[in-house]
Amino acid sequence: MAEIELKTAPADFRFPTTNQTRHCFTRYIEYHKCLNAKGEDASECQKFARYYRSLCPMEWVEKWNEQRENGTFPGPL
Amino acid sequence: MRPKRAPFFTTLGGGGEGGLHTTGAKWFMIESQRHSYHLVDPSPWPISGSLGALATTVGGVMYMHPFQGGATLLSLGLIFILYTMFVWWRDVLRESTLEGHHTKAVQLGPRYGSILFIVSEVMFLFAFFWASSHSSLAPTVEIGGIWPPKGIGVLDPREIPFLNTPILPSSGAAVTWAHHAILAGKEKRAVYALVATVSLALVSTGFQGMEYYQAPSTISDSIYGSTFFSATGFHGFHVIIGTLFLIICGIRQYLGHLTKEHHVGFEAAAWYWHFVDVVRLFPFVSIYWWGGI
């Protein structure tokens, strides 16, 4: 059977605390900023996508995606 | 020998140290009491103030919940409290300036009291500035991790706030001018200085009112509005109270109540005014200037 490689988001010195909320939010923002800058489906952006998907609860991600669609997302995209 | 006085001041009783301050009756009273303290006559104002406070608090709660008559009770309570303040302080003025009970020892009470009150006001405003800093230095994820939050219209600190920032300290300088005039015995000049102080204060309050009127955001607009308007609003309320205090000092000075040795009420007003002044600087820098960029 092939080895399954398990990885998660690397420890980021910008967020040394136990509460990683801001880390999750920052990765989400970085992913979308990357998409806006490099265009959809850029492969460089997938790194950020994997990070935020490891860190963030899916409820938050769904809520933020909905806010982005409505135009009410408060973050700096 | 009676000191020379400007014609539009009145003096009561004999001349001596300061006209209004030393009537013949006072000397008799001090001689018979054998201590330099003031045992106050019974007064209804403490109980009336308490009743007013009760009415205000109960009326306030009724107003904020679905009970009839809350607004009426709240307004009655507030009017009662204001009336109590007016008559109580009028009595203090009568006892000190007209009856002469306020020896140096007695004056220490109002002096320390004023200082402690101002310290308590500093603590009060400190709480609001803490709240402002708490929200703005590490903005939460729910508002996007940025400050000011997205979509909030902030006031340009280079416009009216920047204009008001020299006006209030100039008013503070004018009150110091008034103080020096009182200490030098130049009574008419002290009146002019107080008029200047109050005019500058009213101008700055007027500008602040205009700014509030056409501000792009309100107190209901996210945590920004809550912290901005409660901090600046309470500061503005204190400016209005300080202005009223200074107007009363101006009237008393005009009537000749204040002498160069004895003017505790004026000093309390001047300290309060300086406190209001200094407190204004902190929000200008942290809330208007830093908080808007």
Side-chain angles (χ1 to χ4, degrees), chain B:
Chain B
M1 176 172 152
R2 183 190 285 253
K4 192 159 173 285
R5 293 200 158 272
F8 55 83
F9 290 126
T10 60
T11 54
L12 289 187
E17 175 206 296
L20 282 172
H21 286 260
T22 53
T23 64
K26 177 225 174 185
W27 287 119
F28 287 133
M29 261 192 293
I30 294 287
E31 272 171 18
S32 65
Q33 86 179 12
R34 295 197 208 215
H35 62 79
S36 48
Y37 299 102
H38 181 200
L39 296 170
V40 189
D41 292 330
S43 161
W45 311 131
I47 189 75
S48 84
S50 312
L51 290 172
L54 179 65
T56 306
T57 46
V58 172
V61 171
M62 282 169 71
Y63 177 67
M64 289 187 260
H65 287 269
F67 291 109
Q68 293 282 25
T72 324
L73 191 57
L74 174 63
S75 344
L76 270 178
L78 284 171
I79 291 174
F80 214 63
I81 290 183
L82 286 171
Y83 174 68
T84 304
M85 287 181 184
F86 175 72
V87 288
W88 191 332
W89 283 326
R90 187 183 61 179
D91 273 358
V92 173
L93 292 189
R94 286 173 174 172
E95 289 159 8
S96 61
T97 306
L98 304 179
E99 294 178 14
H101 285 287
H102 280 204
T103 61
K104 280 288 178 209
V106 174
Q107 283 172 46
L108 282 179
R111 269 181 197 280
Y112 285 138
S114 308
I115 293 176
L116 288 172
F117 176 67
I118 292 176
V119 170
S120 80
E121 296 270 80
V122 168
M123 292 294 108
F124 178 74
L125 287 172
F126 181 63
F128 285 94
F129 293 121
W130 183 334
S132 218
S133 307
H134 176 98
S135 313
S136 59
L137 287 168
T140 62
V141 157
E142 282 82 354
I143 52 168
I146 51 172
W147 191 270
K150 188 169 172 191
I152 298 284
V154 295
L155 296 162
D156 189 343
R158 291 163 303 190
E159 292 181 6
I160 289 190
F162 188 62
L163 180 59
N164 267 342
T165 300
I167 293 185
L168 269 185
S170 315
S171 178
V175 88
T176 306
W177 172 29
H179 195 189
H180 283 254
I182 292 179
L183 289 170
K186 306 266 191 239
E187 300 184 350
K188 208 149 63 150
R189 212 179 282 182
V191 176
Y192 294 148
L194 277 169
V195 164
T197 310
V198 169
S199 319
L200 283 167
L202 290 172
V203 160
S204 108
T205 304
F207 279 145
Q208 190 65 47
M210 272 165 44
E211 186 190 53
Y212 263 28
Y213 191 66
Q214 40 96 346
S217 52
T218 73
I219 197 171
S220 317
D221 285 324
S222 101
I223 189 68
Y224 181 87
S226 300
T227 51
F228 179 84
F229 285 103
S230 48
T232 57
F234 271 119
H235 179 260
F237 181 59
H238 284 69
V239 170
I240 292 173
I241 299 224
T243 309
L244 199 56
F245 197 171
L246 285 167
I247 291 177
I248 297 197
C249 282
I251 294 175
R252 292 186 66 204
Q253 172 60 18
Y254 181 74
L255 293 174
H257 289 196
L258 309 175
T259 71
K260 58 168 108 153
E261 281 98 27
H262 189 171
H263 46 264
V264 177
F266 174 81
E267 282 172 322
W271 293 335
Y272 195 81
W273 196 242
H274 289 310
F275 138 72
V276 151
D277 219 350
V278 166
V279 166
R280 175 139 191 359
L281 281 175
F282 295 136
F284 175 70
V285 171
S286 63
I287 298 183
Y288 279 95
W289 191 355
W290 180 86
I293 52 176

Side-chain angles (χ1 to χ4, degrees), chain A residues 58-71:
Chain A
M58 275 302 119
E59 295 97 359
W60 296 6
V61 176
E62 282 157 14
K63 185 178 72 179
W64 293 333
N65 289 340
E66 206 182 296
Q67 282 178 333
R68 273 188 311 111
E69 273 153 43
N70 293 340

Side-chain angles (χ1 to χ4, degrees), chain A residues 14-15 20-36 45 47-53 55-69 73-77, chain B residues 141:
Chain A
R14 293 176 295 174
F15 312 103
Q20 292 281 287
T21 306
R22 247 176 237 291
H23 190 185
C24 137
F25 189 67
T26 305
R27 293 297 188 197
Y28 181 84
I29 299 263
E30 279 174 349
Y31 172 62
H32 287 284
K33 275 185 177 162
C34 176
L35 288 185
N36 288 340
C45 300
K47 176 177 73 169
F48 296 124
R50 284 201 302 276
Y51 293 164
Y52 89 72
R53 284 170 201 154
L55 288 164
C56 300
M58 275 302 119
E59 295 97 359
W60 296 6
V61 176
E62 282 157 14
K63 185 178 72 179
W64 293 333
N65 289 340
E66 206 182 296
Q67 282 178 333
R68 273 188 311 111
E69 273 153 43
F73 184 69
L77 286 178
Chain B
V141 157

